[in-house]
Amino acid sequence: MKFKRSALSIPYVIFLIVFVMAPLAVVLIFAFTNGSGHFTLGNFFGFFKSSRTIATLVYSLFVAFVTTVICLLIAYPTAMALARSGFKRKNILLILAIVPMWINFTLRITAMKEVLDAIEGNLAYYPFLNTIIGQVYDFLPFMILPLFNVLDEMDMSLLEAGRDLGASRHSLFRSVILPLSMPGIMSGITMVFLPAMTNYVVLDMLYNSTYIMGSLIGSYFNAYDWHNGSMISTILLLLIVLFTMLEKKGAKR
């Protein structure tokens, strides 16, 4: 019996069906049905009519935006310094920068909580600040890694040509480095912005009583309201698809 290469995809197909497609189908079924099991769009209409959900969405977008901007401002010069480092084994420096990703999430946030508690005294007084600090601490490595990969592979001859033509550092960065690093920027934004909208564990562990989209989804499922919880999950899924499409367009440029 001749072995076919296509058979190697069978385990992946099984995994995809069982752990991706089947759960997604369940979420979509609950999102588009009511308590009686009948098809309805009322769940989505109710989302946009509710001032609570709209306020939560706006606040989540704001938290994610601030988190992403701060991560980008910190990660870009960090990735640039790592990529331009004269150290022969600069991958070691990269590992040191992303090593927090290897540590359990709960342990990292617990350690950050103790640090903030020692500095602030009472975490409850600074809910938004604690949220941003916790989110940045959690997602910063996800912004550094794609930026480093793009900057490290950048053709240095382009920079040398720009210098030979008399370009200043500012114009060289604006006209050459920044456009070439856009795929890494878009990838980093996608990896930070969307999870930051739903990562309510940081808020809970830092004694934050404010809500983001993840908190709202959790509250619905805890109340056994799978229809509204699935509906919000579907909306976030559509946002992920939209951001992915925008990322691909940005990478092509």
Side-chain angles (χ1 to χ4, degrees), residues 60-199:
S60 301
L61 289 171
F62 180 67
V63 169
F65 174 77
V66 174
T67 300
T68 304
V69 170
I70 295 177
C71 283
L72 181 60
L73 293 177
I74 297 175
Y76 201 100
T78 302
M80 179 76 74
L82 292 174
R84 298 291 178 265
S85 173
F87 189 55
K88 292 183 179 180
R89 297 182 178 179
K90 52 188 173 183
N91 287 334
I92 296 178
L93 298 178
L94 176 64
I95 291 175
L96 293 177
I98 65 175
V99 72
M101 294 172 58
W102 300 353
I103 304 174
N104 182 270
F105 168 79
T106 305
L107 293 177
R108 287 189 284 120
I109 297 301
T110 301
M112 176 58 67
K113 170 183 168 298
E114 295 299 325
V115 172
L116 293 176
D117 197 27
I119 296 174
E120 301 174 0
N122 191 335
L123 295 177
Y125 292 151
Y126 311 97
F128 180 76
L129 178 62
N130 295 331
T131 299
I132 298 302
I133 293 176
Q135 298 268 45
V136 171
Y137 175 66
D138 186 31
F139 294 117
L140 183 59
F142 294 96
M143 183 70 78
I144 292 177
L145 187 58
L147 285 172
F148 172 82
N149 291 334
V150 171
L151 293 172
D152 187 47
E153 296 175 0
M154 189 174 296
D155 189 355
M156 298 300 296
S157 62
L158 298 175
L159 303 181
E160 294 175 359
R163 295 191 190 98
D164 293 339
L165 294 174
S168 62
R169 290 185 177 181
H170 177 72
S171 59
L172 194 64
F173 174 79
R174 186 184 69 252
S175 303
V176 180
I177 298 177
L178 186 60
L180 292 177
S181 62
M182 281 305 297
I185 293 176
M186 295 301 297
S187 178
I189 289 175
T190 303
M191 295 175 67
V192 173
F193 186 86
L194 295 172
M197 287 183 60
T198 57
N199 191 15

Side-chain angles (χ1 to χ4, degrees), residues 189-190 193-194 239-248:
I189 289 175
T190 303
F193 186 86
L194 295 172
L239 288 176
I240 292 175
V241 173
L242 177 61
F243 271 86
T244 303
M245 294 174 60
L246 293 176
E247 178 191 353
K248 288 184 178 181

